[in-house]
Amino acid sequence: MGTLSNRFDSHFLYRQISQVRSRSPLILNLTNTVVMNITANALLAVGASPVMAHAKEELENLVSIAHGLLINVGTLDAAFLESAKLAVRCAKRSGLPIVLDPAGAGASSFRTEAVRALLTGGGVSVLRGNASEISAIVDSGVKTRGVDTSVSSLSALSAAQNLSLTYGVTVVISGEVDLVVNKEQVASIRGGHSIMSRVTGMGCTATSLVAAFSAVCDSTFDAAVCSMAIASKAGEIAKENSHGPGTFVPAFLDTLYSLDETQLQIDIEVMNAP
Amino acid sequence: MGTLSNRFDSHFLYRQISQVRSRSPLILNLTNTVVMNITANALLAVGASPVMAHAKEELENLVSIAHGLLINVGTLDAAFLESAKLAVRCAKRSGLPIVLDPAGAGASSFRTEAVRALLTGGGVSVLRGNASEISAIVDSGVKTRGVDTSVSSLSALSAAQNLSLTYGVTVVISGEVDLVVNKEQVASIRGGHSIMSRVTGMGCTATSLVAAFSAVCDSTFDAAVCSMAIASKAGEIAKENSHGPGTFVPAFLDTLYSLDETQLQIDIEVMNAP
Amino acid sequence: MGTLSNRFDSHFLYRQISQVRSRSPLILNLTNTVVMNITANALLAVGASPVMAHAKEELENLVSIAHGLLINVGTLDAAFLESAKLAVRCAKRSGLPIVLDPAGAGASSFRTEAVRALLTGGGVSVLRGNASEISAIVDSGVKTRGVDTSVSSLSALSAAQNLSLTYGVTVVISGEVDLVVNKEQVASIRGGHSIMSRVTGMGCTATSLVAAFSAVCDSTFDAAVCSMAIASKAGEIAKENSHGPGTFVPAFLDTLYSLDETQLQIDIEVMNAP
């Protein structure tokens, strides 16, 4: 793959954050009960407006005022899955960006099948998982341990390209190096800190940010790259301002809130897909 | 409106907090899954005892040992609404104070209708929302963006007075200035900090405090004024002791826990209703 | 009761933590929506891997990859109870340690009966509650106030011994002094700090730790003693590094993450059962 001239410099990234801050996109979240609070707070901190809901009776109304939809299957059950499908149908009809977090795909066939069903229904614009989740969606032989990330993101690159081609989605594989994959390009983002794997919901939080940035960026690819870059950088800074995984969380939210252009020097490479 | 002599001085406010701390009222919360943790922690920090529950099978038992009931429709669905109605019926029969947070009213007709149904059933003593939520309950033409507060509290004053007359409730409109409205009086509370709108659940937390103070104050009007005043002041102090919306939350809980009389100089005005 | 030579010295405790850190047991949590986030973060901080789930469709799959099961009835309803029973059946068949938190037992007959049904089904290895919860499981005449702890742990000793004999479980009574009870022995652990009763989910968090330690310790008794000791000590240290119940939580998680052998001098006594 050849490296492209990189448009994701600090000026570009800061312009995207400024867009989120000034336009404050409303993001409808059908998400898991573990991370609801931190993802709502992360969306608020970055400048977006979250609404968390799941009742079928109101999803059409809520989609009609939203600028993006986030689906996260982390604590799914049959009723949640029905609501998620309905929300995706409504959002697809309205042309909203739809971001899917396959939390725990591969840990049970119920989850894996749920994620496939959501993708098959169409309309999903971005899928963000770790390497084993992404791999498991393509190959049921891959087993994951809950939402753990223990495998290199590169190992899921071909699965991601497969998913991108099959479903027309941008795929994010998060890990030590985050990869953003669509049919034409692959971006790699270096950064973050290992402490983030000792805090619940950091991946889910990044996925929520993708939904917010999808509402303001020119493309879902750009939105995914910006979100992962910003989450990584905020993680690095928060690590410096905290003493462990507990104080990391408030420091991370503080950082999302106050990030400025000088802090957005991030190691991002973009290559043409092979 | 003429300003009344103001009984809400620091001495009065501190006496009410001391009552909460010494009597530790048990507050039954049927609330949303985003804010359960922070509202439970805020109730504990201020000196009350929270219990969160929603199963129909146990609501009568729990109401029988509780001193106040909090209903928050932030993540409602049909089953939650049935449980909320049952809890309100039980609490009304027992004469418990019942505080309702119409989180997101106006964002969907399902929410708006749910809030109206709960009010119509009777027994609700305090309703606490932001200006657009309160307005939407009266006028379905008002649209809100989830739980955002973007409108001045004064704009909802007549809607609040309307609700107070119709349902016999004390209405709190929260915003930059909080208004507490019943048939005879209007109190305005200045304070707080804009960072609070970048943290999820600050309004919901204030509503929970109203439930705790309702269990010890002489009137629901007093309970609402005390709670909003204390939440505002704790927010101001927490802002000084934090670096952004992330560190704000722990600082807010620390402040609720340690507030003393010298910190309770709050700008509160009380007027006769027009 | 005669005091036994105490094997729970700092070296032993640190070896158990090291086992959790190196083996990172996967703990399946069917738990309440108030404490999901803090218990997931506590498990991660101590070195374990949490997965939170409740859908019947996936519990068998998840149990098959888990090393321990945690059931917490804090926000139970009929559907949750069915899922909990199913998870316990699967885990029992696989020989997994099963830890039960009877959060709020005694506050409603629904909760008390649910806990009894779970115990009667068999397979539960450890039960952890406060004195009134443990007492209420044995004697329906005992009333509790939600999840409050207001009674001395010693008052529930005979109830705990009764439960241990009847159901073959290790019972933890938490309080100012924590007691760990099985048929042969009683351990008492002194430590912790009263601020922990002003933070939601500290008991639930300790129960989650028991599940993690049960996956690596030689016996459930050892796992219970280690977990309660470590939670108490982390609480003491966190109290020193915080300013109230809000900053206590991140400090507690930081401490769990970084505990070393020199910090594990804990006042533990072990006696033969009478």
Side-chain angles (χ1 to χ4, degrees), chain C residues 3 17 32 34 50 57 66 81 91 120 131 152 173 177 203 206 225 234 245:
Chain C
T3 301
I17 291 197
N32 78 64
V34 185
E57 292 87 342
L81 183 55
T120 304
S152 151
I173 315 164
V177 175
V225 172

Side-chain angles (χ1 to χ4, degrees), chain C residues 4 19 31 38 49 57 60 110 234 253 256 259:
Chain C
L4 301 179
Q19 283 290 309
T31 189
I38 187 176
S49 291
E57 292 87 342
E60 190 171 354
F110 180 59
L253 295 169
L256 280 182
L259 273 175

Side-chain angles (χ1 to χ4, degrees), chain A residues 33-35 38 74-78 106-111 143-148 194-195 197-201 242-250, chain C residues 23-26 33 36-37 40-41 43-55 57-58 61-62 64-65 67 247 249-251 253-254 257-258:
Chain A
T33 40
V34 186
V35 304
I38 187 176
T75 51
L76 95 161
D77 55 27
S108 78
S109 49
F110 180 59
R111 272 173 206 236
K143 299 291 175 214
T144 62
R145 282 171 38 119
V147 291
D148 254 17
S194 61
I195 192 86
S197 69
R198 292 284 121 200
V199 175
T200 196
S242 56
H243 308 289
T247 46
F248 176 88
V249 172
Chain C
R23 291 162 63 183
S24 196
L26 181 64
T33 41
M36 273 189 181
N37 190 268
N41 274 327
L43 285 169
L44 284 166
V46 86
S49 291
V51 58
M52 270 64 185
H54 63 275
E57 292 87 342
E58 66 175 351
N61 279 186
L62 295 176
S64 77
I65 56 171
H67 306 103
T247 46
V249 172
L253 295 169
D254 283 359
Y257 179 70
S258 63

Side-chain angles (χ1 to χ4, degrees), chain C residues 23 28 80 94 114-116 140-141 167 174 179 185 187 221 239-240 246 266:
Chain C
R23 291 162 63 183
L28 173 58
F80 178 92
S94 307
V115 169
R116 287 176 187 159
S140 298
Y167 299 111
S174 49
L179 298 176
Q185 299 169 86
F221 186 83
K239 164 65 183 143
E240 293 305 309
I266 304 177

Side-chain angles (χ1 to χ4, degrees), chain A residues 28 30 53-63 83 86-87:
Chain A
L28 173 58
L30 277 77
H54 63 275
K56 285 184 189 180
E57 292 88 345
E58 66 175 351
L59 292 173
E60 190 170 355
N61 279 186
L62 295 176
V63 164
S83 289
L86 173 59

Side-chain angles (χ1 to χ4, degrees), chain A residues 56-270:
Chain A
K56 285 184 189 180
E57 292 88 345
E58 66 175 351
L59 292 173
E60 190 170 355
N61 279 186
L62 295 176
V63 164
S64 77
I65 56 170
H67 305 105
L69 173 65
L70 177 285
I71 306 284
N72 177 313
V73 301
T75 51
L76 95 161
D77 55 27
F80 179 91
L81 183 56
E82 284 315 299
S83 289
K85 286 176 178 172
L86 173 59
V88 169
R89 279 200 302 276
C90 294
K92 184 184 174 191
R93 214 156 47 214
S94 307
L96 282 199
I98 300 169
V99 180
L100 175 61
D101 191 317
S108 78
S109 49
F110 180 59
R111 272 173 206 236
T112 313
E113 291 305 328
V115 169
R116 287 175 187 157
L118 287 164
L119 287 168
T120 304
V124 175
S125 34
V126 184
L127 176 74
R128 200 276 336 148
N130 61 41
S132 47
E133 289 162 348
I134 297 299
S135 300
I137 299 167
V138 176
D139 173 4
S140 299
V142 176
K143 299 291 175 214
T144 62
R145 282 171 38 119
V147 291
D148 254 17
T149 163
S150 45
V151 200
S152 150
S153 49
L154 256 182
S155 70
L157 179 58
S158 72
Q161 288 173 322
N162 177 326
L163 291 168
S164 181
L165 287 166
T166 308
Y167 299 110
V169 292
T170 297
V171 180
V172 182
I173 314 163
S174 49
E176 232 181 277
V177 175
D178 298 325
L179 298 176
V180 178
V181 178
N182 71 9
K183 289 174 208 174
E184 292 93 32
Q185 299 169 86
V186 177
S188 68
I189 301 129
R190 273 163 215 281
H193 191 279
S194 61
I195 192 86
M196 298 170 87
S197 69
R198 292 284 121 200
V199 175
T200 196
M202 293 312 296
C204 304
T205 297
T207 319
S208 286
L209 296 183
V210 178
F213 281 87
S214 291
V216 305
C217 286
D218 284 344
S219 71
T220 56
F221 186 84
D222 283 11
V225 173
C226 288
S227 304
M228 300 315 292
I230 283 161
S232 286
K233 182 52 76 177
E236 285 171 33
I237 297 170
K239 163 65 183 141
E240 293 304 309
N241 296 320
S242 56
H243 308 289
T247 46
F248 176 88
V249 172
F252 179 78
L253 295 169
D254 283 359
T255 306
L256 280 182
Y257 179 71
S258 63
L259 273 175
D260 64 34
E261 191 169 335
T262 63
Q263 296 173 302
L264 292 170
Q265 307 287 352
I266 304 176
D267 181 357
I268 301 173
E269 274 186 80
V270 184

